């Protein structure tokens, strides 16, 4: 008897034309490290009296489908998650192509995502997936991954894949070694680690339906937050925090083969941190920053991905 193993799991996705309606084809095989994407339907305990001490049968509640997907930040596949987070990019070039994703879109695309365990077999298709949050950490070493939090409309489980034969991608991963951080165009030194989190703050449309699913997930006011932990060597960031002035932070990765990913936050506001001396080691300070709309560019952030893929 075959048993499910994570090593044999697979994932494919495709963007939907109509929310909640999986496309017939056009799926792409996606690399991923782990996922909690799934549907659950809790049971409600019976509150009725008069039938003795033993309870009556429980009642099914509404269906909730959501979860996280941990994916590598790579030169090609990560563009699908950027499109889910920000909407369609502005693509220029003739190869390599430059894909520019901008924050502030009023509507976001929905996806159909299938996770499969062929040895069972079990194929779960999640339709109406909308990206709620995209986050990742920057550090000196380790594997560079991002976490995509999704809200789905529902789950359909079968024994045969609905994705057909998904198209492969050319996996070229970025690493922490390929990363750089700049502030207002100049290298920002003494950074120990950083964290970035972009949230669409989805509003679930929970209408009354016979199938218990939601009607949609609309984006509300976006939020872009994060933190920067630095070795305390000068008062540049502290002075900015005290003055209340914004700065531009750029987090970028580049491969020797020419692929590049740059995430620019145009107006970053820093809080005044507590500077603690906890022992004889170096003194570190953590800035939990917030971003806002830049009045000149008219948006909060821009993500630019340069690769050999013509479109997303």
């Amino acid at each position: 008897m075959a048993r499910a193993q994570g090593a044999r799991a697979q994932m494919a996705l495709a963007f939907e034309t109509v929310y909640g309606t999986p496309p017939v084809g056009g799926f792409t095989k996606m690399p991923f490290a782990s996922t909690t994407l799934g549907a659950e339907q809790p049971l409600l305990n019976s509150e009725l009296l008069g039938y003795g001490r033993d309870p009556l049968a429980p009642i099914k509640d509404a269906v909730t489908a959501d979860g996280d997907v941990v994916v590598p930040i790579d030169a090609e596949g990560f563009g699908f998650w950027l499109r889910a987070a920000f909407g369609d990019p502005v693509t220029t070039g003739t190869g390599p192509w430059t894909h520019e994703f901008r924050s502030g879109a009023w509507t976001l695309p929905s996806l159909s995502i299938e996770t499969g365990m062929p040895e069972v077999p079990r194929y779960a298709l999640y339709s109406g997936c909308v990206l709620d949050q995209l986050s990742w950490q920057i550090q000196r070493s380790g594997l560079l991954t991002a976490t995509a939090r999704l809200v789905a409309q529902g789950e359909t489980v079968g024994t045969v894949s609905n994705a057909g034969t998904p198209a492969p991608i050319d996996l070229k991963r970025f690493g922490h070694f390929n990363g750089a951080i700049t502030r207002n165009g100049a290298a920002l030194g003494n950074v120990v680690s950083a964290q970035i989190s972009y949230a669409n703050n989805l509003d679930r449309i929970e209408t009354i339906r016979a199938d218990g699913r939601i009607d949609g997930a609309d984006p509300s006011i976006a939020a872009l937050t994060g933190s920067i932990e630095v070795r305390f060597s000068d008062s540049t960031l502290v002075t900015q925090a005290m003055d209340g002035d914004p700065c531009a932070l750029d987090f970028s990765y580049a491969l020797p083969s020419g692929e590049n990913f740059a995430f620019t936050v145009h107006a970053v506001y820093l809080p005044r941190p507590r500077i603690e001396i906890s022992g004889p080691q170096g003194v570190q300070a953590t800035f939990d920053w917030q971003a806002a709309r830049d009045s000149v560019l008219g948006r909060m952030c821009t993500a630019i991905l340069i690769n050999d893929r013509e479109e997303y």
Side-chain angles (χ1 to χ4, degrees), residues 98-149:
T98 299
H99 310 279
E100 182 176 306
F101 302 85
R102 302 174 179 178
S103 63
W106 287 104
T107 59
L108 297 176
S110 61
L111 309 94
S112 288
I113 299 177
E114 183 184 77
T115 58
M117 291 178 282
E119 68 277 11
V120 175
R122 182 183 189 272
Y123 294 90
L125 180 64
Y126 302 95
S127 57
C129 294
V130 183
L131 193 143
D132 187 26
Q133 181 177 301
L134 186 65
S135 59
W136 68 94
Q137 288 187 333
I138 302 171
Q139 53 196 23
R140 186 175 183 272
S141 62
L143 296 173
L144 179 60
T145 60
T147 300
R149 181 171 301 169

Side-chain angles (χ1 to χ4, degrees), residues 42-275:
L43 298 175
L44 300 176
N45 294 329
S46 175
E47 83 287 15
L48 299 180
L49 306 176
Y51 294 90
R53 293 183 58 241
D54 294 334
L56 297 178
I59 304 299
K60 291 183 178 181
D61 202 1
V63 177
T64 301
D66 55 21
D68 297 343
V69 181
V70 179
V71 300
I73 297 182
D74 68 308
E76 185 174 341
F78 196 56
F80 289 91
W81 303 108
L82 291 174
R83 181 186 173 190
F86 301 107
D88 295 338
V90 177
T91 300
T92 57
T94 57
W97 286 270
T98 299
H99 310 279
E100 182 176 306
F101 302 85
R102 302 174 179 178
S103 63
W106 287 104
T107 59
L108 297 176
S110 61
L111 309 94
S112 288
I113 299 177
E114 183 184 77
T115 58
M117 291 178 282
E119 68 277 11
V120 175
R122 182 183 189 272
Y123 294 90
L125 180 64
Y126 302 95
S127 57
C129 294
V130 183
L131 193 143
D132 187 26
Q133 181 177 301
L134 186 65
S135 59
W136 68 94
Q137 288 187 333
I138 302 171
Q139 53 196 23
R140 186 175 183 272
S141 62
L143 296 173
L144 179 60
T145 60
T147 300
R149 181 171 301 169
L150 301 161
V151 173
Q153 185 186 47
E155 175 191 62
T156 303
V157 179
T159 58
V160 179
S161 173
N162 292 280
T165 303
I169 64 171
D170 186 11
L171 181 60
K172 295 181 180 180
R173 296 187 67 172
F174 295 108
H176 291 291
F177 180 77
N178 309 117
I181 303 176
T182 63
R183 175 184 176 273
N184 292 334
L188 182 61
N190 298 296
V191 178
V192 177
S193 64
Q195 190 269 337
I196 302 169
S197 179
Y198 179 83
N200 282 309
N201 291 320
L202 297 179
D203 179 24
R204 301 181 191 227
I205 311 302
E206 297 179 329
T207 56
I208 299 174
R209 293 170 52 121
D211 56 9
R213 298 183 175 187
I214 62 174
D215 253 349
D218 295 340
S220 58
I221 298 297
L224 179 53
T225 58
S227 64
I228 298 178
E229 186 175 0
V230 298
R231 277 292 180 114
F232 192 65
S233 61
D234 58 57
S235 300
T236 301
L237 297 180
V238 176
T239 301
Q240 177 189 331
M242 295 178 65
D243 293 341
D245 297 326
C247 72
L249 290 180
D250 182 84
F251 308 89
S252 61
Y253 305 89
L255 294 178
S257 53
E259 291 80 7
N260 186 282
F261 170 55
F263 187 80
T264 304
V265 189
H266 301 294
V268 174
Y269 292 84
L270 302 175
R272 182 173 178 174
R274 182 190 301 270
I275 308 297

